[in-house]
Amino acid sequence: MTKTVPAYQRIKNAILENIHSGKWQAGNAISTEMALAEEFEVSRMTVNRALKELSEERVLERRQGSGTFVAQQQFNHTFVEVRNIAQDLKSANRDYRAQVVSKRAITAAMLDDEMRRKFDIGAAVVSSHSKSADFKEADSINDSIEDAILYEVKIIHFADGQPIQFEERWVDAKKVPAFIEQDFSVVNTSDYLIAQSPLERGRYTIRALAAPNKVAEALQIKPQSPTLVLRRQTYSAGQVLTFVKMWHAGDRYQFSGEL
């Protein structure tokens, strides 16, 4: 059964689509509450809820007596501290390199439940078992790219020739359409995303998990060996931009910081 999208969420989605498509630029006034209420055939209270939430998410700016405007992004760097393993290793005088295992475009028919939840994509006719060929080179672009909802990359990060992190990353294809074309053996994924669409917030978890076979192979450890897994979800303009799983060999990596 298809889940009905609440009216206020439909309004939020429409506003975000106008912003992401470039129809409404930073600093532009958006439609009035009355106009939105008429367009969506809802009460002004419903419109007000949508605008209030987008304002709290720093997507919109409401000015008393003037209207509602697309918020100016008054920052060049992310509010979210995103660690760059390449910089960390180089600053520690360790030899760093990255190996791209695979890149692919994921269409609606290929979405699994986890990705639909993470990116709040909603119900559609989905086949979790559908597969497409991996893109092994940055210029291996074909028609499926046009239908992509997400891009997926898998990368092994090495320190002094030893695999230290296995990165599995998913990115909103519509927000960063050129992502799949990058050479991530040279360009760092986090650096590229921040440059394209500054991150405003995020959340993460760190868990100790036994390495499944594919991760063990990538990290050159025995299956079921202990790993530390960092899962991170980051947002831009009120929507999820990227979700990443970073697997670390338990005996080669630790997380630390200052209080």
Side-chain angles (χ1 to χ4, degrees):
M1 180 179 295
T2 302
K3 185 178 180 181
T4 302
V5 179
Y8 79 90
Q9 186 62 52
R10 288 193 290 109
I11 298 170
K12 288 181 65 176
N13 292 344
I15 292 172
L16 289 168
E17 177 61 29
N18 284 338
I19 294 172
H20 293 146
S21 69
K23 180 179 179 180
W24 291 341
Q25 303 283 339
N28 289 168
I30 71 166
S31 302
T32 64
E33 283 192 14
M34 184 176 295
L36 289 170
E38 292 177 355
E39 178 183 351
F40 289 92
E41 298 181 342
V42 297
S43 68
R44 290 187 64 175
M45 183 179 299
T46 300
V47 174
N48 186 273
R49 175 176 177 179
L51 299 184
K52 181 175 182 294
E53 290 191 5
L54 287 172
S55 297
E56 291 172 348
E57 293 165 3
R58 298 192 294 274
V59 176
L60 299 178
E61 179 184 356
R62 308 182 78 179
R63 303 174 191 170
Q64 188 172 3
S66 298
T68 304
F69 299 79
V70 179
Q72 296 282 353
Q73 299 298 310
Q74 297 177 342
F75 49 82
N76 294 320
H77 300 286
T78 173
F79 287 125
V80 184
E81 182 181 9
V82 177
R83 302 300 301 178
N84 182 330
I85 190 170
Q87 292 179 357
D88 286 348
L89 292 175
K90 289 174 182 176
S91 66
N93 295 317
R94 302 191 63 182
D95 181 61
Y96 168 80
R97 72 178 177 90
Q99 174 187 329
V100 179
V101 176
S102 65
K103 299 195 292 184
R104 66 172 180 163
I106 297 178
T107 63
M110 299 164 60
L111 288 171
D112 60 23
D113 290 340
E114 181 181 28
M115 291 304 110
R116 280 185 287 160
R117 287 196 306 271
K118 292 296 183 184
F119 287 85
D120 193 25
I121 290 171
V125 178
V126 173
S127 173
S128 300
H129 303 291
S130 296
K131 297 181 180 180
S132 72
D134 283 354
F135 294 100
K136 296 301 183 181
E137 297 179 357
D139 60 355
S140 299
I141 304 299
N142 61 26
D143 292 341
S144 65
I145 292 291
E146 298 179 4
D147 299 323
I149 290 180
L150 302 177
Y151 291 139
E152 175 193 87
V153 297
K154 297 184 180 182
I155 303 168
I156 304 173
H157 300 272
F158 293 82
D160 299 330
Q162 186 177 51
I164 194 169
Q165 182 192 93
F166 178 49
E167 174 182 351
E168 298 180 288
R169 183 182 294 272
W170 295 266
V171 174
D172 188 315
K174 304 304 181 186
K175 294 184 178 65
V176 197
F179 180 83
I180 200 70
E181 301 171 19
Q182 307 309 307
D183 180 359
F184 291 116
S185 64
V186 178
V187 179
N188 180 268
T189 50
S190 293
D191 283 352
Y192 179 77
L193 290 171
I194 291 171
Q196 297 299 310
S197 188
L199 311 181
E200 63 189 24
R201 65 187 178 94
R203 58 173 177 260
Y204 69 89
T205 61
I206 300 173
R207 294 181 61 190
L209 293 175
N213 290 343
K214 66 175 181 179
V215 173
E217 180 180 357
L219 293 176
Q220 297 177 19
I221 58 179
K222 294 180 179 180
Q224 302 304 303
S225 295
T227 65
L228 290 173
V229 187
L230 185 150
R231 287 183 172 90
R232 186 173 65 219
Q233 190 168 326
T234 47
Y235 295 75
S236 181
Q239 293 186 326
V240 177
L241 179 71
T242 181
F243 172 64
V244 61
K245 297 178 184 178
M246 298 178 179
W247 300 78
H248 308 81
D251 60 348
R252 301 175 197 160
Y253 206 93
Q254 68 179 16
F255 291 92
S256 63
E258 295 183 3
L259 297 177

